[in-house]
Amino acid sequence: MKVLQWIKDTGPKRPELKSRQSRLKKIFMVSKRLVLCLMIFILVGLVWAGIRVWNMNTAASTTPLQQVQIGIVLGASMWGAEPSPGLKERLEEALHLYRNGTVQRLIVSGGLDKPDFPYTEAEGMQRYLVDKGVPVQHIVLENHATSTYENLLYSQRIMKEYGWTSSVIITHSYHGPRAMEIAQFLNFDHPQMALTESKVLNMPIHQSREVLAYAKWTLQRWWISAQTWVA
């Protein structure tokens, strides 16, 4: 009897036991809600990414393309002194539009990829186009952009400087939806799109990167809009 009484006296008190059970229950409920929120966040992210990929796969050039003053060629990577195969595809689309009279002049936009490269993206594109027969005076360089947003922002400034108002944006199909959204955000005047399908790029990789770039642009757009609203 004394042993039983000792165990009873030294064992956990009921109020302490209830308090511990209550804490464990609260921790369980909070963890459950966090897991649920995480699952919802992941699901929403997957749906959002799926919509972006669907937009990339269904993007198409403006039809019919109207004659414009300027074709804006969005930059892509250089391979040393030469445009990469992907960039050459954009340049070939630009050449086609220039030769058939859809565009009168071209803005080539893109900064320096690496410090040891001899040319910026714009300079590399200009060299390629001149070699293909485009008069150098019909090509305007934009040498500073490091993103699609900057490509279009700086090209827009050049257009305003020269008094040009009509344009077509030249890029790949997977890149087109984001480029068009940025152009509309910047209030381009009825921007048109000339999109080329790639035969040299690894689309799963580039589309995955584009989804991340789209997410970055979405945050950037919100930030720019917030700054404008505050100002």
Side-chain angles (χ1 to χ4, degrees):
M1 292 296 293
K2 291 183 178 180
V3 172
L4 292 175
Q5 184 64 38
W6 178 82
I7 293 174
K8 183 178 179 180
D9 292 340
T10 58
K13 301 297 187 289
R14 185 167 297 276
E16 293 178 2
L17 181 61
K18 287 184 177 180
S19 177
R20 185 181 303 173
Q21 289 175 339
S22 178
R23 287 198 301 270
L24 291 174
K25 186 176 181 180
K26 288 180 180 178
I27 292 172
F28 174 77
M29 291 301 296
V30 170
S31 301
K32 185 177 179 180
R33 290 173 182 172
L34 288 174
V35 170
L36 180 60
C37 290
L38 180 61
M39 291 177 64
I40 292 173
F41 178 79
I42 292 173
L43 179 61
V44 170
L46 290 173
V47 171
W48 183 87
I51 293 172
R52 299 281 76 79
V53 173
W54 184 83
N55 287 340
M56 294 178 210
N57 290 327
T58 57
S61 299
T62 304
T63 306
L65 274 175
Q66 302 297 320
Q67 191 175 40
V68 295
Q69 295 165 305
I70 287 297
I72 302 173
V73 189
L74 302 185
S77 61
M78 292 284 291
W79 283 8
E82 295 292 325
S84 64
L87 182 52
K88 287 180 180 179
E89 290 180 322
R90 299 183 186 184
L91 292 168
E92 287 298 321
E93 180 67 17
L95 279 170
H96 171 71
L97 297 178
Y98 178 81
R99 287 169 177 167
N100 69 17
T102 301
V103 302
Q104 299 174 14
R105 290 176 173 80
L106 294 165
I107 295 176
V108 287
S109 175
L112 190 64
D113 283 349
K114 295 182 180 179
D116 58 338
F117 278 10
Y119 308 110
T120 64
E121 292 175 6
E123 291 167 340
M125 287 190 280
Q126 181 193 51
R127 285 164 52 85
Y128 184 90
L129 292 169
V130 169
D131 286 345
K132 294 288 185 175
V134 180
V136 68
Q137 62 268 26
H138 287 181
I139 305 170
V140 181
L141 276 70
E142 187 293 294
N143 278 313
H144 304 290
T146 60
S147 67
T148 303
Y149 175 76
E150 291 182 351
N151 286 144
L152 292 169
L153 177 64
Y154 299 160
S155 296
Q156 185 183 51
R157 291 175 180 173
I158 291 173
M159 289 180 63
K160 290 179 178 178
E161 179 183 347
Y162 284 90
W164 297 325
T165 57
S166 59
S167 63
V168 58
I169 299 165
I170 303 166
T171 188
H172 282 102
S173 295
Y174 78 91
H175 188 216
R178 180 163 61 97
M180 173 57 84
E181 187 172 306
I182 293 172
Q184 291 171 339
F185 178 81
L186 291 171
N187 295 318
F188 270 69
D189 185 13
H190 298 93
Q192 299 184 88
M193 302 296 296
L195 305 179
T196 181
E197 296 290 342
S198 180
K199 297 179 180 178
V200 300
L201 298 177
N202 185 320
M203 275 299 101
I205 291 177
H206 280 77
Q207 286 185 346
S208 298
R209 290 175 178 173
E210 182 62 15
V211 169
L212 296 176
Y214 211 113
K216 178 185 176 183
W217 156 243
T218 300
L219 295 174
Q220 184 180 10
R221 181 186 62 199
W222 290 344
W223 175 247
I224 294 170
S225 298
Q227 287 181 312
T228 303
W229 182 82
V230 170

